[in-house]
Amino acid sequence: LVLATVIVGAIWVAAVESVRGSLPWQAVTTRAKTSLKDQQQLVGAMCVADTEEGCLKLGGGCSWFSYTGDCPNCEKWVSQDGGDVTGCRNWDPFDYCEHQILRSAAEASKKDRGDPDLADVLQHYHIAKGGISKEYAKKMFCNVWCDAMEGSGCFGQPKAYNSL
């Protein structure tokens, strides 16, 4: 009886191995991985709007990234017209301030990340996230935060309007 059970079990395992990926629980795992990537691409494609109001109405992770202008260093160090770092996007605000703005400005200017000129540059870049309109959106601007602990650095991060 034990030998028959082992043989039947081995046949069942062999049958399962031959159809790997086609079992319901395996297909769900595969679909979940694929659909997450597809969903991220879909959200990116959905974040298409010409105005802040239009962008925020889209929801689904879309945010409005803007540049206030009148900043010669911004145009030298980050972007000539701001078009490649502004608009309706599905970007993460923390990554935006740190990587797209501060890192670009620091590399182009060759300045230390704690330099006040870089802080001035960052503060010209703004983010509106969530809400059904401009009035209900969470408003932020990029800023530089420097850790006071010795050996720590400075980082670009979003800061809410009128925060303490």
Side-chain angles (χ1 to χ4, degrees):
L1 181 62
V2 172
L3 180 59
T5 303
V6 170
I7 291 172
V8 169
I11 292 170
W12 187 82
V13 168
V16 168
E17 288 297 318
S18 69
V19 293
R20 180 168 295 280
S22 65
L23 296 174
W25 63 85
Q26 292 170 329
V28 168
T29 303
T30 305
R31 274 192 308 233
K33 288 179 185 174
T34 303
S35 67
L36 177 60
K37 182 178 178 184
D38 291 344
Q39 288 172 2
Q40 290 169 337
Q41 290 174 344
L42 182 60
V43 168
M46 288 175 44
C47 294
V48 178
D50 294 330
T51 65
E52 180 179 345
E53 186 86 30
C55 180
L56 297 177
K57 285 181 180 178
L58 294 173
C62 298
S63 298
W64 183 255
F65 296 85
S66 60
Y67 164 60
T68 61
D70 194 27
C71 172
N73 286 337
C74 298
E75 295 174 19
K76 283 192 295 190
W77 300 336
V78 179
S79 176
Q80 281 293 321
D81 62 359
D84 53 339
V85 293
T86 60
C88 188
R89 315 287 183 144
N90 68 332
W91 297 334
D92 175 71
F94 286 90
D95 287 340
Y96 174 73
C97 294
E98 169 63 21
H99 299 293
Q100 292 183 262
I101 309 302
L102 180 58
R103 183 174 60 192
S104 295
E107 287 175 359
S109 68
K110 311 263 189 276
K111 291 185 177 278
D112 181 76
R113 291 171 147 255
D115 190 295
D117 288 342
L118 291 178
D120 179 61
V121 164
L122 262 74
Q123 293 170 7
H124 283 82
Y125 294 90
H126 296 245
I127 305 144
K129 184 168 184 61
I132 55 172
S133 70
K134 291 187 338 184
E135 293 77 32
Y136 298 104
K138 181 177 183 178
K139 304 280 188 146
M140 301 170 275
F141 63 96
C142 291
N143 206 357
V144 177
W145 180 78
C146 296
D147 192 335
M149 182 175 271
E150 189 174 329
S152 296
C154 296
F155 307 93
Q157 66 180 20
K159 181 177 180 181
Y161 286 8
N162 302 319
S163 64
L164 298 175

